[in-house]
Amino acid sequence: MIKKALAILLTLTLVFTAFGCGKKEEAQEVRPKPVIYYNPLTGKGGYKKEDLNKRPIAVVVENSPEARPQWGISTPDIIVEGEVEGGITRMLWLYGNANRLPEKVGPTRSARPSFVKFSKFFDAVYIHWGGSHSKDGYTGGYETIAIEGVDDLDGMAGGALFTRDTTRNVSSEHTGVVLGDKLNEVLKSSEIRTKVDKDSVTKLPFRKKAKKISDNKADKVRVTFSSSTDTRKFKYNSEDKKYHTGDWEKDVKFDNLLILKSDTTYITTTYKDGYVTYLNYALDGGTAYYASKGYIRKIKWVNEDGKIKLTTQKGNAIKLNPGKTYIGLVSSNHSGSVKYSEVKTETTTETETKTE
């Protein structure tokens, strides 16, 4: 009986083995999730790991009619615009690092104090072509660079980074160009620090996914920098969910509009055979407006230890939707304003425009 039982057991074991029973389940290969690196100036993925700790780049670009459309106008991660003098505005184009510049950027123009200080919010290398000088109680762009300890590259010094594009048949001040593919080698030869100072750089807070920011519709947004300037006009496109402007003679689009109000000071100095009136922004915080995905909300901005902090009106931190941002610097004491309105899609007419 024992022999017969053992034979049956052996037979059953062979059968189970043949059909795979009794075998340990093979361990499945576990693949790690791909690591996503985010652009610190846009909050969007697709960034390179080796670029994460590099310093942003800030390029001064002019905005006169002769300069439009500016070379590379659609490429910055952030465009900052504000008044400089004589009722004209100028721009500061911010890039996450030197590798993000296109082949050609410009027309590049001279340094102004407010833009030098704004670039410092992001620990950026400041690129310009010339600059204003101190005179009659006014502290110039060059002197502000020295006072603030900002690393800069100046087209007036020449070098491989700068050239002129004369194809537009305009005067020379509208022809200065930065050659983006030369920037890394110039930074190296100039011995300028390329690693970002994490303790002094503004870290814009971004959501991973965009969401509605308020109940206030803003299909059209108009930014007036002061009573002396023109107005920057944006229109929301519900198809790509971005704000568009054609004011630079090219369609340029943004995911976010961030309008920062600041007290301003006008300073008149002698210049050549006449006078010039410069404008300086206090850049110490105040009321702000944030528009994204067709809606707008009133918020606050703070200069906290040399870094920009965005909060609700009650002081709670907020986050931006990922994407490119336009930052407009508006005078809070010289009639700067933000106007927005909702377009009724069924009639093409607008609701009452709200002014802030």
Side-chain angles (χ1 to χ4, degrees):
M1 291 291 293
I2 294 175
K3 290 183 178 180
K4 187 175 181 180
L6 290 173
I8 293 172
L9 180 61
L10 178 60
T11 301
L12 290 172
T13 300
L14 292 173
V15 171
F16 283 130
T17 301
F19 284 95
C21 298
K23 292 175 67 178
K24 290 184 179 180
E25 185 178 344
E26 294 183 2
Q28 293 184 356
E29 181 182 0
V30 178
R31 296 183 179 180
K33 292 182 179 180
V35 179
I36 300 175
Y37 300 102
Y38 295 91
N39 183 336
L41 297 188
T42 67
K44 300 195 78 171
Y47 216 55
K48 294 181 180 179
K49 182 180 179 180
E50 57 267 28
D51 289 340
L52 281 179
N53 297 316
K54 292 184 177 179
R55 293 179 75 180
I57 305 297
V59 185
V60 181
V61 178
E62 73 160 310
N63 190 34
S64 63
E66 295 86 350
R68 303 170 190 163
Q70 292 84 344
W71 294 295
I73 185 70
S74 299
T75 63
D77 295 323
I78 296 174
I79 288 182
V80 184
E81 185 176 12
E83 186 178 0
V84 284
E85 73 265 351
I88 64 171
T89 63
R90 195 162 287 179
M91 293 183 283
L92 191 68
W93 292 4
L94 294 174
Y95 296 89
N97 64 76
N99 293 328
R100 294 188 64 81
L101 271 72
E103 181 180 347
K104 186 165 61 173
V105 174
T108 309
R109 288 301 294 269
S110 54
R112 293 294 183 270
S114 298
F115 281 17
V116 173
K117 293 178 181 179
F118 200 95
S119 74
K120 195 174 180 182
F121 283 139
F122 292 89
D123 189 34
V125 178
Y126 187 77
I127 300 178
H128 59 110
W129 197 308
S132 58
H133 292 280
S134 297
K135 197 172 188 179
D136 302 331
Y138 166 76
T139 301
Y142 274 123
E143 289 73 22
T144 304
I145 289 171
I147 293 169
E148 297 291 336
V150 171
D151 290 323
D152 75 306
L153 295 168
D154 184 2
M156 293 296 287
L161 183 61
F162 301 93
T163 189
R164 291 193 181 275
D165 186 318
T166 59
T167 60
R168 291 180 173 175
N169 194 30
V170 292
S171 55
S172 61
E173 66 264 31
H174 309 302
T175 63
V177 170
V178 169
L179 300 174
D181 58 352
K182 301 292 185 182
L183 182 52
N184 276 308
E185 64 182 72
V186 171
L187 289 172
K188 185 176 181 179
S189 64
S190 302
E191 299 184 345
I192 288 178
R193 173 175 56 88
T194 56
K195 187 175 181 179
V196 71
D197 183 349
K198 294 183 179 180
D199 294 327
S200 65
V201 65
T202 293
K203 300 179 180 67
L204 292 176
F206 289 100
R207 298 186 181 93
K208 288 295 187 293
K209 293 184 179 180
K211 76 172 191 178
K212 181 180 174 182
I213 64 169
S214 77
D215 293 323
N216 297 318
K217 285 284 291 179
D219 294 313
K220 288 186 175 182
V221 179
R222 301 166 182 81
V223 180
T224 302
F225 306 95
S226 77
S227 58
S228 301
T229 67
D230 61 0
T231 298
R232 189 66 54 239
K233 301 176 291 296
F234 298 93
K235 186 175 181 180
Y236 181 66
N237 185 315
S238 59
E239 293 184 2
D240 64 9
K241 295 179 170 44
K242 299 178 188 294
Y243 283 96
H244 293 244
T245 181
D247 288 354
W248 298 306
E249 298 182 17
K250 184 175 182 178
D251 180 37
V252 184
K253 51 193 175 183
F254 301 92
D255 297 276
N256 302 308
L257 306 179
L258 188 59
I259 314 305
L260 309 181
K261 282 197 165 187
S262 171
D263 282 349
T264 56
T265 303
Y266 287 104
I267 303 173
T268 300
T269 72
T270 54
Y271 181 75
K272 294 183 178 179
D273 296 327
Y275 297 89
V276 61
T277 299
Y278 295 105
L279 178 137
N280 286 342
Y281 290 90
L283 297 179
D284 53 3
T287 299
Y289 293 87
Y290 171 43
S292 185
K293 308 303 175 188
Y295 294 85
I296 195 168
R297 67 182 298 185
K298 188 176 182 179
I299 61 173
K300 288 184 179 180
W301 77 283
V302 181
N303 180 344
E304 188 174 87
D305 299 325
K307 292 171 282 189
I308 294 175
K309 180 180 178 181
L310 303 173
T311 73
T312 66
Q313 291 182 279
K314 293 183 178 180
N316 300 318
I318 68 166
K319 290 186 176 182
L320 304 176
N321 286 328
K324 293 189 175 186
T325 301
Y326 170 88
I327 298 179
L329 302 179
V330 168
S331 174
S332 55
N333 59 328
H334 287 102
S335 302
S337 67
V338 180
K339 297 181 180 180
Y340 59 94
S341 59
E342 176 184 359
V343 177
K344 293 182 179 180
T345 56
E346 67 274 16
T347 62
T348 72
T349 59
E350 296 183 30
T351 60
E352 181 180 356
T353 297
K354 298 179 181 180
T355 305
E356 303 286 357

